Amino acid sequence: MREALKSILGPVLKRATSKYVAGEALEDAADLALRAGRQNLRCTLCYWNDGTEDPEIVVREYSRILSLIGEGRIDGALAAKLPALKEREDLVEQVVALARKVDAPVIFDAHAPPQTDDTLKTLERYPREGVGLAIPGRWKRSLRDADRAIELGVRVRVVKGEWVDPDHPHIDLREGYLGIIRRLAGKAAFVGVATHDAPLAREAMRILAEAGTPFEQEFVYPLPIEAALREGASYGAGARLYIPYGEAWLPYSLKRAIKSPKTLYWLGRDLIGGRNFVLPSLDPAQMPAAPVAN
């Protein structure tokens, strides 16, 4: 039954989720990154694997991203997915070593709450060396994870979060987000304020600026960014665009599409209406330059 549903829904999901990636190939993401760079937006490139690929294939894509950065073609960072590497230490070492060579940050994305333990164990091998992790505002454990990130001296990207905390499903996303920001303020090495919520971004940046904590904004393609970006400009904050490419399984998966009415609504909306991303119309001369810190 599951295989039959997969064969029916697979092409539909692929069509809908294509709106959430820059394209299937790195060249598509690099083209968008170049255009964003002309607006003083740095980038974070992420290869979204299809969930079945050998980890060596994923490493090959990560290496291609880092090579582009090393060649100076794009000004960016790598977003890596530890589950896609099957938590293999040798492959993580290979990616981090190349990232160090080209002086590019590697930020490990957040997945389900228990998987953060694996990410933190990985970061313990590479403290203060251009690595970091995403911490979601919707998890109870996130304040503890923020404390550990401070101890390790790594970068933190604060996000609202895709995965619900199964033990605390009703955490207020905005309050959880600001709770992490307050915990990091004055202590973290570097913070990515990753939200398209302009009032939330404004408050988060105010807290960090008053504490003297270095930060930048980060936005996920293809959501609109101009309102939040204007808030950052008032703080002189640099900004980057998170650009995924490949197979887009978020915000959909076969399991979610079958069980979640909300996901089915998203699916129908994106099949019919689509989503159009427009680079900001702000004058690049008036936008802050990207921060120097990696």
Side-chain angles (χ1 to χ4, degrees), residues 24-44:
E24 293 188 358
L26 175 57
E27 290 72 20
D28 300 315
D31 178 68
L32 177 56
L34 288 171
R35 289 188 285 120
R38 291 194 282 271
Q39 294 283 359
N40 277 352
L41 290 170
R42 303 179 85 183
C43 67
T44 296

Side-chain angles (χ1 to χ4, degrees), residues 53-68:
E53 291 173 328
D54 290 335
E56 287 83 0
I57 295 176
V58 177
V59 168
R60 193 152 55 240
E61 284 297 317
Y62 289 171
S63 297
R64 292 180 66 214
I65 292 171
L66 291 170
S67 294
L68 281 179

Side-chain angles (χ1 to χ4, degrees), residues 116-128 131-133 135 141-156 180 183-184 187-189:
T116 302
D117 291 327
D118 294 326
T119 301
L120 288 170
K121 289 178 182 177
T122 295
L123 294 180
E124 287 171 359
R125 303 200 302 274
Y126 311 104
R128 304 179 188 276
V131 296
L133 77 164
I135 298 183
R141 63 169 293 160
S142 289
L143 290 177
R144 185 174 71 253
D145 294 337
D147 289 338
R148 187 65 183 128
I150 292 168
E151 293 173 1
L152 293 172
V154 298
R155 298 170 63 112
V156 178
I180 298 171
R183 186 63 64 93
L184 296 171
K187 301 175 184 177

